[in-house]
Amino acid sequence: MEFFTLGVYNSTEKDFFSRLIKNKIDTFCDVRQRRGVRGAKYSFVNSKKLQLKLAELNIKYCHILDLAPTEGIRKLQKEIDIQKDELKTQRKELGNNFINEYKNLILKNFDFKDFLEKHNRSNSNRIVFFCVENYAKACHRSIVADELINQYKFKVTHL
């Protein structure tokens, strides 16, 4: 198995789906709590539209709510963003409070072995973890990627 991460901010619909095709992604793991984005600019990643397009591309879709940060954890990052006067769409990294809470409340409770076994059985070879932020380090998907790298020795590419 090979792993990738992908965000949508600063992408066009064409560019977004081209990256999936170019990298031969066969499994798309949505790790958002809320699977929608406000406004028309990124409406193509709203759950229903996204799943229809992925089906057209023969890419399996899964929603992994257990890897989504809670409202309380997201609030910690929002407070940091306000202090830095930084928009979520411009963020380049996560704050330590967010990272620590995410690891303690979400990541340590996630069953990676079960996840890996399930995707191995379903012949998933090229799996992408998706959330909205442009920069992987500005998003919890980078923490998931770090776990796959450090604990399971997988290579992870940030698209």
Side-chain angles (χ1 to χ4, degrees):
M1 277 185 264
E2 292 181 62
F3 292 93
F4 301 82
T5 72
L6 178 65
V8 71
Y9 288 156
N10 298 320
S11 293
T12 64
E13 183 174 356
K14 181 180 177 183
D15 176 58
F16 181 83
F17 290 109
S18 292
R19 284 190 273 170
L20 295 174
I21 294 164
K22 177 183 169 193
N23 289 283
K24 299 178 175 131
I25 301 300
D26 60 38
T27 304
F28 187 100
C29 296
D30 192 336
V31 294
R32 299 176 291 174
Q33 184 179 55
R34 294 173 292 172
R35 296 181 288 165
V37 180
R38 290 187 184 140
K41 185 174 183 178
Y42 301 112
S43 65
F44 59 93
V45 295
N46 288 342
S47 182
K48 288 181 182 177
K49 283 184 179 182
L50 176 62
Q51 289 182 63
L52 285 171
K53 181 66 175 181
L54 292 172
E56 285 177 26
L57 298 172
N58 292 316
I59 298 173
K60 293 175 269 191
Y61 174 88
C62 62
H63 180 224
I64 308 176
L65 188 57
D66 290 345
L67 283 176
T70 64
E71 188 75 35
I73 295 171
R74 285 198 326 271
K75 185 178 177 191
L76 292 172
Q77 186 60 48
K78 190 172 188 174
E79 290 169 1
I80 295 165
D81 292 345
I82 290 168
Q83 289 171 1
K84 289 183 167 185
D85 195 27
E86 188 171 59
L87 297 173
K88 180 180 180 178
T89 56
Q90 299 169 331
R91 183 189 319 134
K92 293 203 167 112
E93 64 183 7
L94 292 168
N96 288 331
N97 289 346
F98 179 99
I99 293 169
N100 292 334
E101 285 299 298
Y102 184 82
K103 285 180 177 179
N104 289 329
L105 297 176
I106 305 296
L107 207 59
K108 80 175 188 181
N109 295 312
F110 186 74
D111 190 342
F112 275 97
K113 289 181 183 176
D114 182 60
F115 169 84
L116 294 169
E117 287 173 12
K118 175 184 171 188
H119 287 283
N120 192 35
R121 286 191 307 272
S122 69
N123 295 316
S124 296
N125 295 306
R126 298 177 67 81
I127 301 168
V128 69
F129 289 98
F130 167 73
C131 194
V132 295
E133 289 84 1
N134 183 35
Y135 299 100
K137 289 292 180 189
C139 177
H140 68 286
R141 69 182 187 269
S142 67
I143 304 169
V144 174
D146 288 346
E147 185 75 7
L148 287 167
I149 293 166
N150 297 329
Q151 295 298 320
Y152 298 95
K153 309 304 179 209
F154 283 104
K155 178 184 173 209
V156 179
T157 304
H158 302 291
L159 303 178

